[in-house]
Amino acid sequence: MGLTGGCYHHGFGGTFLNILGQIRPDERQSTYAASVLIGGIMAAHALIETARDALFLARLPPAQLAWVYLAIAVASLALFVVQEHSGVRSGRKALTTWLVGAAVVDVLLWFVVDQPGTWALYVLYTWTGVFASLVVVRFWTLLGDLFSIGQAKRVFSLIGAGGVAGAILGSLLARMLAGYVEPRHLILASAVVVVATAVATRVLLPPTKTATTRTPRAEVFDLRWPLHAIWERPYLRRVAAIVLLSAVTLTLADFVFKSAVAARVPPEQLGAFFATTYLVLNTLSLAAQL
């Protein structure tokens, strides 16, 4: 037992030190800053995700989850196309703007979700999916301007680990707060974390190598181009198939899991249950990544 535990600890410690050893001195500021920022984004998402699931399943049947899954997909795709058609490249300022806007939406949802009716719960659930899809994508797009491909091979593993660590901290905070406040107040806590992350983005992250610019109208994004590129390349088709199958599988698993939770966990305990569950899953995720 002792030998096994020692090897286990040495393996994880050695892996982490190996990751740190690959980062060059001139890359440290950007890498550490990016790790902190994605950690803040994921911590905020963990908080609002816990509130979302607890509030939704306490007042609505699990069968309604199918509609919000569809709404997330449609809304994310629509906003992605709108962003690309605007012709504005992702940069530090753009990410900060997204984060500030997300905090404003969180505060509005914190207020309206306590009002009579269930429409706000659908909006809350859809918004959390859109936030996870678009803000995280904009973050990694920004890193594409900060790091070259060669640098990405060295630093992205640490940055990704920072995101999982942030999700763990967010879940831990949600678990601590769940014993003292109603689940909806976790939305407000998420807004506070988002604002702090927006400030950190401006303070910690250096300017991108490519300044934020507006693409000429003739070169505005056309959704048909990436679809055509995927269809024409066997490798991209396989990647797209893996992504699609993974999304379908995870969606079905999420539906089955939450249906079982709604049937077995009392509504007043849902906040603590989801916070604990996500804390365990995020911890296992970090262990698997290392």
Side-chain angles (χ1 to χ4, degrees):
M1 177 69 73
L3 179 61
T4 303
C7 293
Y8 178 81
H9 175 74
H10 174 75
F12 276 85
T15 299
F16 185 70
L17 291 175
N18 182 56
I19 292 174
L20 289 177
Q22 296 181 33
I23 301 174
R24 298 172 180 173
D26 60 318
E27 299 168 344
R28 288 173 184 168
Q29 178 187 354
S30 298
T31 302
Y32 297 157
S35 298
V36 170
L37 298 181
I38 189 61
I41 292 171
M42 297 311 297
H45 183 257
L47 283 162
I48 199 170
E49 182 182 41
T50 302
R52 170 200 74 183
D53 292 341
L55 291 169
F56 193 93
L57 293 179
R59 296 169 60 182
L60 290 167
Q64 297 301 309
L65 288 170
W67 296 108
V68 291
Y69 293 151
L70 180 61
I72 290 171
V74 173
S76 297
L77 180 60
L79 287 175
F80 172 76
V81 173
V82 169
Q83 281 187 113
E84 297 301 329
H85 271 291
S86 68
V88 178
R89 290 180 55 83
S90 178
R92 185 179 64 175
K93 182 178 179 180
L95 179 61
T96 304
T97 302
W98 264 100
L99 290 171
V100 172
V104 172
V105 173
D106 286 350
V107 172
L108 292 175
L109 287 172
W110 168 75
F111 177 76
V112 301
V113 81
D114 197 41
Q115 305 302 312
T118 59
W119 65 269
L121 298 176
Y122 290 97
V123 175
L124 172 63
Y125 208 111
T126 303
W127 163 244
T128 57
V130 171
F131 174 84
S133 299
L134 294 182
V135 173
V136 174
V137 168
R138 303 312 285 186
F139 170 80
W140 287 105
T141 303
L142 171 60
L143 294 195
D145 290 334
L146 281 174
F147 298 105
S148 66
I149 294 177
Q151 290 175 314
K153 293 178 180 179
R154 292 192 304 273
V155 307
F156 275 18
S157 55
L158 180 62
I159 296 173
V164 181
I168 292 174
L169 292 177
S171 298
L172 180 61
L173 180 58
R175 182 63 185 88
M176 295 169 61
L177 293 175
Y180 300 97
V181 300
E182 298 177 4
R184 82 179 186 95
H185 295 306
L186 299 181
I187 303 174
L188 190 60
S190 176
V192 173
V193 175
V194 171
V195 170
T197 305
V199 173
T201 299
R202 295 292 292 179
V203 173
L204 300 178
L205 207 62
T208 53
K209 298 174 183 177
T210 304
T212 300
T213 57
R214 181 169 296 275
T215 304
R217 190 70 180 176
E219 300 178 8
V220 164
F221 172 80
D222 187 348
L223 185 60
R224 293 173 295 180
W225 181 85
L227 293 177
H228 179 74
I230 292 172
W231 182 257
E232 292 294 322
R233 294 169 174 80
Y235 172 75
L236 293 182
R237 287 204 303 269
R238 290 193 290 269
V239 172
I242 292 173
V243 172
L244 178 61
L245 290 174
S246 299
V248 171
T249 302
L250 290 174
T251 300
L252 291 175
D254 185 74
F255 177 79
V256 173
F257 167 67
K258 290 175 182 174
S259 297
V261 170
R264 292 169 174 81
V265 179
E268 64 274 10
Q269 298 178 16
L270 286 172
F273 175 85
F274 280 117
T276 302
T277 300
Y278 295 148
L279 175 60
V280 173
L281 292 177
N282 287 325
T283 302
L284 293 175
S285 177
L286 180 60
Q289 183 167 337
L290 290 176

